[in-house]
Amino acid sequence: MATFYGIYTWLTHTVFGINIVFLPSVFAALLGAIPFVGTYWAAVPAVLELSLIHKEIFLATLLAICHVLPTFVVDTALYSDIRGGGHPYLTGLAIAGGVYCFGLQGAIMGPVLLCCIIVAMNLYSAMITDYPITPMQAVPGSQVLQGRRNLFRSASTNL
C-alpha cells in the first residue's frame, strides 16, 4: 500500500502541476504503512497551494477528491481479499515495534516476525482442534470416542 500511495501521490501532484512533489510522495508512502491515518493528509499542502496561491478552487477540490477516493476504493478492495492476516492496527504496531527494536530494517523485520507468530498460533490451534483433550469436546459417535471405546474393550478382553 505504501508503494501505491507514494507513486499515486507523485502522479497526481505532477499532473496538477504542484511545485513540491517529492516530500508529499514520501509522506504519503509513510502514511500508507500506518493504519487508521489517511494518506490524503499528504495532499493538504498541494490543495492549499492550488486554492490559495494559484486561485484554482476547482482543481484544488478535484485533487482532494482524487486523494480521498482511493481510500474508499483501493483500500477496501485490497483489504477485503486479505483473510486471516490480522488487523491493520497489528501491522502498524509491528512496523513501529520493529523500527524501535531493529532500526530502519525493523520496518521489514517487525511484520515478518508478526507473520511468524500468526502462523505459529494458527498451527497450534489446528493441532489442538484435531486432537480434543476430553471426550466431552468430541461429538458423540466420532472416531475419537469410538477409538477410546475400542481401547477399553481390548483392554478388558486381555484380562
Side-chain angles (χ1 to χ4, degrees):
M1 293 303 297
T3 305
F4 167 74
Y5 279 116
I7 293 172
Y8 184 76
T9 303
W10 174 80
L11 178 69
T12 55
H13 280 61
T14 304
V15 168
F16 282 94
I18 305 301
N19 291 329
I20 301 173
V21 177
F22 181 72
L23 288 176
S25 299
V26 171
F27 187 55
L30 290 174
L31 290 176
I34 301 172
F36 303 120
V37 179
T39 56
Y40 47 81
W41 289 105
V44 170
V47 169
L48 291 175
E49 178 185 340
L50 281 174
S51 63
L52 299 176
I53 296 173
H54 298 294
K55 305 293 187 209
E56 297 284 344
I57 304 298
F58 177 74
L59 288 179
T61 307
L62 188 62
L63 180 65
I65 290 170
C66 285
H67 276 272
V68 170
L69 193 63
T71 304
F72 296 111
V73 178
V74 176
D75 287 357
T76 306
L78 288 178
Y79 287 139
S80 67
D81 287 339
I82 299 172
R83 289 178 178 80
H87 199 273
Y89 186 67
L90 285 177
T91 305
L93 282 177
I95 291 171
V99 168
Y100 179 76
C101 291
F102 302 114
L104 193 56
Q105 293 90 1
I108 302 297
M109 292 301 297
V112 168
L113 289 174
L114 176 68
C115 288
C116 291
I117 292 171
I118 289 174
V119 166
M121 286 175 40
N122 288 341
L123 284 173
Y124 180 73
S125 66
M127 287 178 12
I128 294 299
T129 305
D130 288 342
Y131 302 107
I133 296 171
T134 62
M136 299 300 292
Q137 294 175 346
V139 177
S142 70
Q143 293 178 354
V144 174
L145 285 177
Q146 290 174 359
R148 289 184 180 161
R149 288 180 190 144
N150 291 338
L151 179 68
F152 290 127
R153 286 181 191 154
S154 65
S156 63
T157 56
N158 290 336
L159 293 176

